[in-house]
């Protein structure tokens, strides 16, 4: 199994999905982090190869969202110890904007409303930070329109203010639109499925799949979720169970199915008797 | 008196208004043109010929004189003047306001594309650029003929102004007012082109004379009519003036039954002018008002915005933006007066303060006892952009009815951490993200302007000002 939770996992990986790259895209080693003096992640280990899809599941309060915020560099979250390597570089040394330009993308669980900034201007500015020369307006419009069509978003969204007055589903769709335009190397989807009905979930999930198929460099995806539902569409290569700030179990998609039928108690009880499998 | 008085400006040593306003002088206000008031040598009643119109009716002036005789000009301890001291305004300059004039043509600078200029008030004699004068659209009338609009004026300055009876400064300004105009949009007229009222403050190089004016504008949007009106306060500055300039316009807008008015105001006076504006909106049955105010100019700026919902079904959306930068002092006072059942008012104002500046918001929702089913909302947000800037938000509710929906909220804060993080998480640098968020703070309200011509005009004005601030 390629993504062990132990700190030596990267050397032990045998995944066939990452034959074209010899080193992992993301390596998290013994990460201890929290917010307002509370320790939430208590020695988390994780390794993701380029192009892979990983899922992290776990009960409320297990540290799922903390992980996503720490990776993206939210200023309220503090890292006490441990290491995060992104493409071999120490990710924690960088500001949130630098991390993004290196190819990390976070689809927020609760996307921020920014009245006064149109989606068009926002995304063009964001895209141009990754380019030597600004993309011409017309070319950008065309690109945005394509991506919006893919996500079945109405054209009028382009001129609307970012997330301002959006429904929960529209906000999530807008996150994936940003992923489509910015083409990250690793996208962390933080409960992107929550608040979506079955149809919207399908559109969003197939959007993510198409982004992966159409990108020059197939992005890796880290899906953070409570439910199995989105995983049926995204088909993760690996599933991890997060409990009390640690990954207590890793496996293939079957693990998600097991969780679905047996609940977290099953895994957390066994975790207590045999931590880190 | 006179020489011993405190000075409010750096170079002037003018007498205080309170000391000047003898019973004798009060009696002459609004009846004859007063002579120039010079420091140390007060000449009273030196009559000068004036061609300027007076729109405030005689009864209103008499009433004001009576109030002024028994009510002192307030000082900073007065409830309504606590945040902005009256002596920040060179009120006495209005006693020498002979340089104000109203004209119909020609106009300085073009307004929004497709707009029609209705009238101009000129303060000072600085030259202005001329622009094309288009004929007024059918159904629109601009005049300075007080007699022809006698009933309207007596109503607006009479019973509908009784709430100003305790405000001595408002009474003084009313007495000294001259120039302005009456705009009528006749019943049933639906206007697509915006109408523009220009107020031009010319400041000349090396002038020793301060400029002052208190014009009056009365707008009547008659039943079933609809229009967009732009009040454009602009200026030409030719070098430094000696200061002491003062501008105190009063705008009264009556929106009649089932009429609709979009009122946009842009105040960008230069920093050698103190501005004391009073805007009052009177809404009748099922009338609709959307107002967007931009206060971005003047050294000291205070706008009193009063919206009265007189009859059922009236609905007002009131948006305001104020920017305080440099050492400016900017004050917005608002009142939403619900005087009838089933009316709605929604006020949203935003202020930004930077450098050493100070911004003040003071708002009231007043609901009369019989104004049941009122739906009133008041929201104020302030953005502090420097450590030495200051913003105060003072929201108030006075609700006498028992079946109403009223809420208010006010906040003062910096650029939001979460918004900043969201933008940065997409690769945008901190400095750029901050700039975007401050601009967004402004754009949000500019976006409330419905008329596309006025909107893009104001967008341009605001982004120009914005570029110099952030």
């Amino acid at each position: 199994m390629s993504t062990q939770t132990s700190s030596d996992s990267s050397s032990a990986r045998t995944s066939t999905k990452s034959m074209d790259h010899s080193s992992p895209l993301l390596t998290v080693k013994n990460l201890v982090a929290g917010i307002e003096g509370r320790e939430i992640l208590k020695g988390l280990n994780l390794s993701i190869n380029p192009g892979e899809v990983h899922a992290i599941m776990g009960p409320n309060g297990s540290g799922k969202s903390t992980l996503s915020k720490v990776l993206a560099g939210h200023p309220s979250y503090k890292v006490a110890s441990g290491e995060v390597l992104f493409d071999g570089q120490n990710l924690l040394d960088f500001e949130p904007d630098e991390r993004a330009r290196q190819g990390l993308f976070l689809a927020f669980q609760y996307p921020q409303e920014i009245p006064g900034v149109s989606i068009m201007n926002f995304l063009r500015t964001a895209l141009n930070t990754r380019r030597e020369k600004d993309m011409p307006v017309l070319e950008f419009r065309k690109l945005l329109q394509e991506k919006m069509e893919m996500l079945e978003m109405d054209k009028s969204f382009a001129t609307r203010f970012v997330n301002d007055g959006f429904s929960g589903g529209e906000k999530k769709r807008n996150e994936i639109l940003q992923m489509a335009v910015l083409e990250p190397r690793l996208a962390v989807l933080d409960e992107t499925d929550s608040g979506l009905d079955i149809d919207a979930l399908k559109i969003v999930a197939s959007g993510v799949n198409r982004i992966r198929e159409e990108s020059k460099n197939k992005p890796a995806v880290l899906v953070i979720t409570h439910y199995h539902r989105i995983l049926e569409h995204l088909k993760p290569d690996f599933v991890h169970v997060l409990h009390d700030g640690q990954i207590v179990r890793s496996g293939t998609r079957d693990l998600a199915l097991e969780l679905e039928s047996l609940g977290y108690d099953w895994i957390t009880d066994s975790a207590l008797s045999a931590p880190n499998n | 008196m006179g020489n011993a008085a405190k000075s409010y400006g750096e170079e002037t040593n003018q007498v205080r208004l309170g000391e000047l306003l003898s019973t004798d002088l009060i009696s002459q206000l609004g009846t004859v043109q007063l002579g120039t008031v010079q420091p140390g040598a007060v000449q009273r009643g030196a009559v000068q010929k004036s061609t300027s119109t007076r729109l405030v009716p005689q009864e209103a002036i008499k009433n004001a004189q009576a109030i002024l005789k028994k009510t002192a000009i307030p000082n900073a301890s007065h409830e309504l003047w606590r945040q902005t001291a009256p002596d920040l305004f060179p009120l006495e300059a209005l006693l020498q306001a002979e340089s104000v004039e109203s004209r119909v043509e020609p106009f300085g600078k073009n307004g929004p594309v497709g707009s029609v200029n209705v009238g101009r008030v000129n303060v000072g004699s600085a030259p202005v650029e001329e622009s094309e004068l288009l004929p007024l659209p059918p159904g629109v009338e601009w005049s300075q003929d007080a007699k022809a609009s006698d009933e309207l004026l007596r109503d607006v300055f009479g019973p509908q102004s009784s709430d100003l009876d305790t405000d001595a400064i408002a009474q003084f300004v009313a007495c000294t007012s001259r120039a302005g105009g009456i705009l009528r949009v006749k019943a049933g007229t639906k206007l697509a082109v915006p109408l523009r009222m220009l107020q031009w403050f010319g400041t000349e190089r090396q002038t020793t004379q301060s400029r002052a004016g208190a014009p009056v504008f009365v707008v009547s949007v008659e039943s079933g009519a609809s229009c967009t009106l732009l009040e454009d306060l602009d200026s030409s500055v030719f070098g430094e003036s000696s200061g002491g300039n003062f501008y105190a316009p009063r705008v009264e807008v009556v929106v009649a039954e089932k009429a609709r008015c979009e009122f946009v105001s842009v105040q960008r006076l230069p920093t050698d002018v103190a501005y004391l504006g009073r805007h009052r909106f009177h809404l009748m049955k099922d009338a609709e008002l959307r107002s967007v105010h931009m206060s971005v100019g003047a050294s000291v700026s205070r706008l009193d915005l009063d919206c009265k919902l007189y009859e059922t079904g009236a609905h007002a959306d009131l948006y305001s933006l104020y920017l305080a930068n440099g050492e400016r002092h900017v004050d917005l006072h608002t009142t939403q007066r619900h005087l009838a059942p089933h009316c709605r008012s929604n006020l949203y104002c935003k202020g930004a303060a930077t450098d050493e500046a100070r911004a003040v918001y003071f708002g009231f929702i007043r609901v009369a006892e019989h104004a049941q089913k009122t739906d009133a909302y008041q929201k104020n947000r302030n953005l502090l952009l420097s450590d030495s800037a200051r913003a105060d938000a003072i929201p108030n509710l006075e609700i006498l009815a028992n079946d109403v929906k009223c809420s208010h909220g006010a906040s003062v804060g910096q650029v939001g951490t979460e918004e900043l993080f969201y933008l940065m998480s997409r690769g945008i640098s901190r400095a750029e993200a901050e700039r975007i968020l401050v601009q967004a703070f402004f754009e949000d309200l500019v976006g409330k302007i419905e008329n596309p011509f006025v909107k893009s005009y104001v967008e341009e004005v605001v982004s120009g000002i914005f570029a110099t601030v952030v």
Side-chain angles (χ1 to χ4, degrees), chain B residues 129-272:
Chain B
E129 291 168 44
E130 296 189 359
S131 67
E132 196 186 353
L133 183 72
L134 297 169
L136 293 182
V140 178
E141 218 178 72
W142 168 261
S143 89
Q144 278 125 307
D145 185 355
K147 278 200 191 94
S149 299
D150 188 44
E151 201 184 324
L152 174 69
L153 295 174
R154 274 204 280 180
D155 199 25
V156 162
F157 291 100
Q160 294 185 14
S161 287
S162 58
D163 52 288
L164 298 178
D165 280 357
T166 53
D167 187 340
I169 290 180
Q171 300 302 335
F172 173 72
V173 171
C175 284
T176 52
S177 86
R178 73 204 75 206
I182 302 156
L183 176 69
R184 278 176 185 276
V185 180
K186 291 191 175 159
T189 307
K190 311 267 186 211
L191 288 177
V193 291
L195 303 173
R196 175 175 180 244
M197 291 191 315
L198 178 66
Q199 295 163 53
W200 191 262
F201 210 99
T203 309
E204 280 175 291
R205 196 194 307 269
Q206 277 146 15
T207 177
T208 52
Q209 181 93 359
S210 56
R211 305 281 171 203
V216 162
F217 301 89
V218 179
V219 177
S220 173
V221 187
E222 297 180 356
S223 59
S226 74
C227 66
T228 295
L229 191 62
L230 170 66
E231 187 208 33
D232 204 356
L233 279 71
D234 203 353
S235 63
S236 54
V237 183
F238 299 93
E240 292 292 305
S241 76
S242 58
N245 296 314
F246 183 42
Y247 191 55
R250 176 158 165 184
V251 180
E252 300 275 348
V253 180
V254 181
V255 189
E257 186 173 340
K258 292 201 167 72
R260 192 172 190 287
C261 178
E262 177 174 39
F263 184 93
V264 179
S265 169
V266 180
Q267 187 272 99
R268 46 177 159 156
L269 293 168
T271 50
D272 61 353

Side-chain angles (χ1 to χ4, degrees), chain A residues 69 72-75 95-97 100-101 104-108 111-117 122 125-126 129-130 161-163 175 178 182, chain B residues 348 350 381 417-432 435-437 439-448 455:
Chain A
K69 292 281 171 62
H74 191 289
E95 287 284 308
D97 56 314
R101 292 197 296 271
L104 181 73
F105 178 87
L106 170 62
F108 284 66
Q112 190 63 42
E113 295 189 9
I114 308 186
V117 180
F122 167 49
T125 308
T129 63
R130 291 154 171 79
F161 293 153
V162 176
N163 296 321
E175 293 295 289
Q178 295 173 46
L182 300 176
Chain B
Y348 185 23
K350 283 179 155 188
R381 274 192 64 197
T417 316
E418 296 303 321
E419 283 115 315
L420 200 59
F421 175 60
Y422 191 78
L423 294 183
M424 287 177 76
S425 79
R426 301 308 186 231
I428 298 167
S429 71
R430 181 178 299 273
E432 176 76 357
R435 200 191 59 77
I436 289 173
L437 288 174
Q439 185 157 17
F441 189 79
F442 293 76
E443 293 292 330
D444 180 27
L445 281 195
V446 178
K448 303 294 183 191
K455 186 174 164 179

